[in-house]
Amino acid sequence: MHHGKNSIMLRSCAMLAVLAAAVAVTAAPAWSQNYPSKPVRFIFPYAPGGTTEILARQIGTKVSASLGQPFLVEARPGAGGNVGTDQVVKSSPDGYTLLLGASGPLAINVSLFKSLPYDPTVDLVPIVHAASVPLILVSGQGFQAKTVKELIAMLKARPEGIPYASAGIGTPQHLSAELFKLMANVPGTHVPYKGSGPAIIDLIGGQVPFGFESMLVALAQVKGGKLRAIAMTAGKRSPLMPDVPTMAEAGVPGYESIAWYGVVAPKGTPAPIVKLLNAEMRKALTAPDVAKWLAEQGSANVAGTPEQFGAFIKAEIGKWAKVVKASGAVAE
């Protein structure tokens, strides 16, 4: 009887010890301390060669050197960024598959596509807001309107709609123009291209009079005198083009539109891993060479906390939902 009591007590103590150990592991997961112990897949959801890939490689190289494991940058293009994003959503939430996403798949596509296989605010965990790049309202040198006010007057005088170029349906270029039409209450006819390259060629050639284009792509053409910069879409002027007014200064108060990029992971990725990656990626983004490259692209320094990035994504989803609805744009 006495022995029985002792063995029950011992078993209880052993169970308590196991429970205590389990609680300790939950509170401070020891397993996350050896992360990463193998290569990390770093997916970007677009064709190779663009801003997203360059940015992923800049971040990946720094974090890999710091954490001692390769960050393998992979292109997974398709459906405006949805294919690569969905692949990350469906991958194991262990910190070994990450996405460098952008405003399209993380905010705009929710409203633009009839059905999306994922919900960016539910199925993904924000890690860090990596870059925010302004766009430029540009025209060919032969276009009569040289200011935003002249462009608004010209558009109002032509209710049938003057054509404008974009890099494709639902791109930040397209929706920046739709936001302008909405806020300035003007008509216009959308001419979507397959990417920025062909759109720029026709803008330079004067086949299409104006359009919004990423600063990354348009800056060289403006500096080279092939395109005219009419206004910037950011909230403040760019140090790279201090003479070019913002849209708000030039006649559309409250206007702001930026193309942005950020790192996310599948839902359920352990908090210590998210915290570690946020700290490492913030270090990478503020490293002198990366910071210099970002400044040359016109990017604002945005690297903050995961919570700040999560709140930013939610605000952007709300903002672009109104624009998409007003424009009637739909992507199949």
Side-chain angles (χ1 to χ4, degrees), residues 108 111-112 175 178 182 318-330:
I108 295 168
S111 306
L112 192 68
L175 292 178
E178 294 298 341
L182 194 63
K319 173 181 180 168
W320 294 114
K322 293 188 188 101
V323 179
V324 170
K325 192 175 178 199
S327 75
V330 179

Side-chain angles (χ1 to χ4, degrees), residues 1-265:
M1 193 75 186
H2 193 62
H3 289 298
K5 263 190 176 163
N6 270 352
S7 65
I8 287 170
M9 273 179 75
L10 282 169
R11 279 211 304 269
S12 303
C13 288
M15 278 176 74
L16 281 170
V18 168
L19 277 170
V23 169
V25 167
T26 316
W31 46 260
S32 74
Q33 281 154 23
N34 62 7
Y35 170 87
S37 56
K38 61 180 185 184
V40 175
R41 293 176 72 202
F42 197 13
I43 290 170
F44 64 98
Y46 297 109
T51 315
T52 329
E53 180 181 13
I54 299 167
L55 186 54
R57 292 196 185 282
Q58 296 263 10
I59 296 169
T61 303
K62 294 280 184 207
V63 178
S64 169
S66 177
L67 294 179
Q69 286 290 345
F71 273 61
L72 308 170
V73 175
E74 283 179 44
R76 285 285 176 269
N82 296 345
V83 171
T85 305
D86 191 44
Q87 195 173 358
V88 172
V89 163
K90 290 186 168 64
S91 64
S92 177
D94 53 11
Y96 290 99
T97 308
L98 307 172
L99 175 83
L100 179 64
S103 38
L106 296 182
I108 295 168
N109 293 357
V110 178
S111 306
L112 192 68
F113 285 76
K114 285 205 175 92
S115 64
L116 212 55
Y118 60 89
D119 178 338
T121 62
V122 175
D123 300 321
L124 291 162
V125 178
I127 293 174
V128 73
H129 186 169
S132 274
V133 182
L135 293 97
I136 315 176
L137 168 58
V138 289
S139 70
Q141 289 292 2
F143 190 48
Q144 304 94 308
K146 292 182 172 60
T147 66
V148 172
K149 285 189 168 144
E150 286 174 9
L151 176 59
I152 289 171
M154 188 187 275
L155 289 165
K156 284 193 164 159
R158 296 267 298 276
E160 74 280 10
I162 296 174
Y164 61 91
S166 91
I169 292 173
T171 56
Q173 290 91 328
H174 171 210
L175 292 178
S176 294
E178 294 298 341
L179 183 63
F180 164 58
K181 282 164 60 184
L182 194 63
M183 292 181 75
N185 192 21
V186 289
T189 306
H190 182 213
V191 183
Y193 285 79
K194 282 192 164 66
S196 290
I200 288 275
I201 291 166
D202 277 9
L203 280 161
I204 291 169
Q207 281 88 340
V208 64
F210 75 99
F212 287 82
E213 195 39 79
S214 150
M215 187 140 176
L216 289 167
V217 182
L219 190 60
Q221 308 298 338
V222 170
K223 298 257 190 217
K226 292 183 172 167
L227 287 176
R228 180 190 298 134
I230 298 173
M232 304 289 305
T233 65
K236 57 178 194 281
R237 292 192 187 205
S238 166
L240 302 178
M241 306 177 80
D243 301 338
V244 180
T246 65
M247 290 287 289
E249 288 173 327
V252 191
Y255 183 101
E256 186 172 5
S257 174
I258 43 173
W260 52 265
Y261 307 89
V263 183
V264 292

